[in-house]
Amino acid sequence: MGQHDRYSRQQRVAGIGAAGQQRLRQATVLVVGCGALGTHALDALARAGVGRILVVDRDVVEWSNLQRQVLFREADAAAGLPKAIAAAQRLAEVNGDVEVLPFVAQCSAEFLSTLPATPDVVIDGVDNFATRYLVNDWCRARRLPWIYAGAIGAEAVAMAFPIDGPCLRCVWPEPPPAGDVGSCETHGILAPAIAVVAAFQVAEAMKAIVGAPATRGALTVDVWRGRYAIVDLLGAAAADCPCCSRDEHPALRQAGAGGATSLCGRDAVQVEPAQPRAFDLGAHAERLAGIVGELALTPHLLRFAADGARFSVFRDGRALIFGVGDLLRARALYDRWVGA
């Protein structure tokens, strides 16, 4: 047994074979979000031999992530390492033949327009519906398949959106109100629920790559009560869907910079600069020396504490501010300690 036997068990599966394995090797997959869903999916994609994986995430590793975000270690949380960077480092140890390109960034329409390669399929690992609708519209505009998933408590749901079927807007024309969805903070989350739907996502991505038909319907699970089903939510494209019926993509027209956004299940806010910019972390660290606490400069970000909050500032000027829930206060703290 040797390196050439690495995928031998996978190739024996009906529908893959040597030809399917070669398609996986030549494929590019974009994973949007590197939390619980994203880390499960990334690990499985790398082990399956997908040739190139693009991963984008805006966040850093924290101790509360370790219960369910399988690529991270205690050292990553202690260092506050960006999730995309930590994931890429771990995946390099899992499969050195896979090219992993990490992006520490907010997934925006501008970011998607600058990707170095067009993916064959997109996997949703995010924690908010605004980004999911952006992914949906971007994939529709480029006729790319993508696979949705979400989980809370012991329950989770996932579904594939192939290019020849309806899209997310056909199923849910508008995002559900934030208060109706809940969060990990209010309802908690069980890692087994994540694992089930992430496995579905990766299987659907592999099927899309090798040319097998997608599962038509939504996988719904409740791992605590032992309920598993495929629910038929996907009929024909909705007659009033802007993406499918009018070839319009509303999320691609919405501005994404200069705002403040609460992070799901966290006492934290992300603040973006009004204009994208290159931020000199070293120079800013020198300015803050002696006037803030816990100052630490890393190759990826600047960390410090001030005014009862903890800051992680990235090279694009974006900041995560921890210990703050109010968006206006977060914006004021950003202007005070990072710059207007």
Side-chain angles (χ1 to χ4, degrees), residues 260-263 266-271 306-311 320-334:
T261 308
S262 295
L263 301 186
R266 311 265 293 284
D267 187 21
V269 173
Q270 173 182 263
V271 181
D307 282 342
R310 291 179 295 112
F311 295 72
L320 301 181
I321 306 178
F322 301 90
V324 177
D326 181 79
L327 300 184
L328 292 178
R329 173 164 168 74
R331 183 79 236 188
L333 288 172
Y334 179 92

Side-chain angles (χ1 to χ4, degrees), residues 15-62:
I16 296 184
Q21 190 63 49
Q22 182 62 18
R23 289 187 179 184
L24 291 171
R25 174 65 180 161
Q26 296 172 343
T28 297
V29 175
L30 169 63
V31 178
V32 181
C34 193
L37 288 165
T39 54
H40 276 83
L42 286 164
D43 184 66
L45 290 167
R47 293 180 188 278
V50 170
R52 176 186 283 182
I53 302 173
L54 315 177
V55 54
V56 54
D57 192 280
R58 64 189 180 182
D59 209 350
V60 296
V61 182
E62 294 193 275

Side-chain angles (χ1 to χ4, degrees), residues 50-109:
V50 170
R52 176 186 283 182
I53 302 173
L54 315 177
V55 54
V56 54
D57 192 280
R58 64 189 180 182
D59 209 350
V60 296
V61 182
E62 294 193 275
W63 290 94
S64 62
N65 301 150
L66 303 181
Q67 167 252 345
R68 64 197 179 281
Q69 300 183 15
V70 296
L71 289 179
F72 305 138
R73 303 293 183 266
E74 290 185 353
D76 301 327
L81 202 62
K83 290 182 177 180
I85 300 298
Q89 292 177 355
R90 205 73 59 229
L91 294 175
E93 300 171 359
V94 170
N95 191 343
D97 289 336
V98 173
E99 181 184 12
V100 181
L101 301 180
F103 300 92
V104 183
Q106 170 76 18
C107 182
S108 63

Side-chain angles (χ1 to χ4, degrees), residues 117-165:
T118 300
D120 297 284
V121 62
V122 179
I123 288 182
D124 159 32
V126 303
D127 58 10
N128 66 90
F129 273 91
T131 306
R132 289 188 177 111
Y133 279 77
L134 171 65
V135 169
N136 178 81
D137 290 12
W138 186 76
C139 287
R140 280 285 140 167
R142 286 154 183 79
R143 293 190 57 77
L144 300 174
W146 73 284
I147 301 99
Y148 156 85
I152 190 167
E155 302 178 36
V157 62
M159 70 184 95
F161 290 102
I163 60 176
D164 61 347

Side-chain angles (χ1 to χ4, degrees), residues 11 13 20 33 79 96 151 156 197 200 214 226 252 265 297 312 319 321 326 332:
Q11 289 183 202
V13 175
V197 289
F200 175 91
L252 299 183
L297 178 64
S312 291
I321 306 178
D326 181 79

Side-chain angles (χ1 to χ4, degrees), residues 279-291 295 338:
F279 193 82
D280 190 333
L281 297 179
H284 200 63
E286 292 179 2
R287 288 192 290 270
L288 294 178
I291 60 174
L295 183 65
V338 181

Side-chain angles (χ1 to χ4, degrees), residues 89 116 126 154 183 213 253 268 301 305 319:
Q89 292 177 355
V126 303
S183 69
R253 301 194 302 269
L301 53 83

